[in-house]
Amino acid sequence: MAETRRVTAGPATYVLRAFVIAYLVLLVAWPVVLVGTNTFENGTTAITEVFSDPDMVHALRLSAVAAVVATAVNTVFGVTISMLLVRKQFPGKRVLSALIDLPLSVSPIVVGLALMLVYGGRNGWLGPTIEGWGLQVVFATPGIVLATAFVSLPLVIREVVPVLHELGTEQEQAAQSLGASGWQTFWRITLPSIKWAVIYGVVLTLARSLGEFGAVKVVSGNVLGETRTATLAVEEKYLNFDQEGAYAVAFLLASVSVLAILVVFVLRARGTRHRAFERQS
Amino acid sequence: MTVALEGRPARSRPSLVNHDLTTASGIGLGVSMLWFSLLVLIPLTAVMVTASSGGWGEFWRSITNEQTAAAIRLTVTAAAAVTLANIVTGTAIAWVLVRDRFPGKGLLELVIDIPFALPTIVAGLVLVSLYGNDSPLGLHLANTEWSIYLAFLFVTLPFVVRMVQPVLEELDLEVEEAAASLGASRATIFRRVVLPSLAPAIAAGAALSFARAVGEYGSLVLLSGNLPFESEVTSVRILSAIENDNRAAATSIAAVLLVISLLVIVALDVLQRRVARRG
Amino acid sequence: MSIDVSGVNKRYGDFVALQDINLTLPTGQLTALLGPSGGGKTTLLRIIAGLETADSGSVVIEGVEATRLPVQKRNVGFVFQHYAAFKHLSVARNVAFGLEIRKKPKAEIRAKVDELLQLVHLDAFADRLPSQLSGGQRQRMALARALAIEPSVLLLDEPFGALDAKVRKELRDWLRRLHDEVHVTTVFVTHDQEEALEVADEIVVVNEGRVEQVGSPDQLYDEPANDFVMGFLGEVTTLGGVRLRPHDVEVATVPGSGSLPGTVTRALRVGFEVRVTVDVAGQDALATVVMTRTHARALRLEPGAAVWLTPADGATAVAGSRPARPAEEAVAG
């Protein structure tokens, strides 16, 4: 309804529109575009240089691996927790549902510090024990994965929970009355119904994971060619007056983020159309 | 009615026991909770425990250190100011996105989400390119106190907008038309009819944006210059404490941020329940 | 006996949803659970299906003790009020679902689905998605889906509740004919007494968690067990301490033996009938009488006219506001 009818446009509408556009252009659009133009000031040399530097390739790969692993874990965890929060009753549910959002509001530096205190190899709570098993967490890839998983933890849940609520339980009950077990009901009915929400969640998690900086900076040790991720490389290059290199890596990261938003945007637009159609019929 | 029924205490939930978990979902909950504890709860507890291990005096000394106190003051002031700004601009942006229609509006939707998905270090670099020393606008904000405000505005842009937008979309236009038919002006309608419905969503967005700003680090690295007493924020103080191997100071300052995060989470939980009830 | 419910109790917190329900439904019959919203009829249906568990009591389906059986094992067909269509599956895949779960051979599934889609007149829509169907079509799909598993009983929860009046009526007739064809024991929940009277072989009136009466539509209408059943099945008016149907009141313009005097306060014509409101002497509540237009005109019933009222011969009546009194003892004629 709100889409088809609208309050008539007065002068206030135009002023507001102009303000919003100007604000967004100055704060976001223009600066982001500048990264692109700065990167390609000298053609594609900046980008090709990044790819010909084995340390940079390593950094990009490390970022990608950490992001993919963190996203995979957070997706399984996120869907499980969402199902439990929406479909089940258990003690402490409300507290859990509030705590799940905590990673969104914790400073990345605090995240890094917290992980250090527990998983630090020297005097962490669990670190020395785990190192005794031959697994180094902090200043190694597992630490980077943990930090990345921490900061992007709630994103899948925040997408899936409202959709599960809206979906209701009738279809699941119908499947069960037709003989489907809990597991069959989940795979055949629930998961296909929340598919798009899970995909948005995954894309957002991936984008957020790839870009984590502060938490990773604390736990990774930031060793070139070993534990330096792409985002850490941007800082290093910039501070070492390799502006072109910094812009090139930043451009690559920004491209992935913008692509991720684009994917979500297209999927959402599709979803909205689909829902509007269903409401009509 | 049977004896067993009479003996059962009254309960507001339809379940007979306080959970309805099957074996499979019980295992799912157990594994999930283990992961959540190892990843989030235990590490954050470690921060609080370590912060308190030195006693109150130690804690107080750490956070009232002149340079640290200045950083905390700057961070909280800037975060509060930016949150206030977001309440206005975020609501305005949501309003334009929902109620206005013009070519290229879809592009604005994309722009709103960029700060959320963009790596923070890249966000810093992005802002340097327009407001740094090579600023095409001639605005040299880098390495000043203003750079903090700028970075906070950038990274917190989506929160209020994305909380308010869906509520505004669901708002029944008929209520506003009814108010208009009763003689209310557009300003009155906004203030008396629309705003009260949006208030919980705005507040939830504001809470998230405050929390995000208070803990911000990445976007400031290249932009603020981290000048003590001028452009150094709390996160940077924690990081220097970590780098100097001063655990007591690092955890004490981190504990302050963590308490703020927890307060925000509580506020958010209450507010989101209210948003859901209205929806 | 196809469904045997005995001693079933169910409560939600302090709210008693069902209280000591005992019910036996014979094989092959079409039964309606009739009652007002919140009376417990849907809860009873869901307990029979296994979607809800009773606090105490037992459910036996086709001689099988089902009280502890999960819904998956009860082999009941359940049709939901809002269809519960699997939105991401085509109509044919929706109908095939239960058979796929039972790992039937592909050819057998296809044959069965084709047969059922023809039965519910949806053969032309096999490849559509539920969102491309009308409400009535979706409900027929849901019915075919439930029938596909050859259930021992078919349970329908307000099956026509979400449909508009015209489609409701069509589907109601169609359900009756379908039942005559397939003969599966069927129980449906409704709050619409007309629907129950028209479709069901037997009606179970459920109110406030109790069974008020069980009987054929005629029995219920003619011999209501109590005031509640009487009131729920049709309009009721009060005359001289007796509750009876407004069309069972005879009006005369002269006094007769045992007739009660009154004054017409209002005569309202609705289509072919006239509803006359009478202020009866010595009675607080106004009495309502329904008669044909011709009859009313012949009696010249205008506001202010003096009339004498008597219950008609053989009228169904129960004593005023004294529930649970058998119909036989009620004042009649």
Side-chain angles (χ1 to χ4, degrees), chain C residues 12-24:
Chain C
Y12 298 109
D14 293 335
F15 177 72
V16 179
L18 292 175
Q19 205 176 332
D20 194 27
I21 299 285
N22 294 288
L23 201 58
T24 299

Side-chain angles (χ1 to χ4, degrees), chain A residues 3 6 17 105 107 119 217, chain B residues 38 99-101 217 261:
Chain A
E3 283 162 54
R6 190 163 56 89
R17 187 193 297 178
S105 73
S107 166
Y119 299 103
K217 185 172 178 179
Chain B
L38 286 174
R99 293 293 173 88
D100 203 352
R101 203 178 301 173
Y217 170 70
S261 305

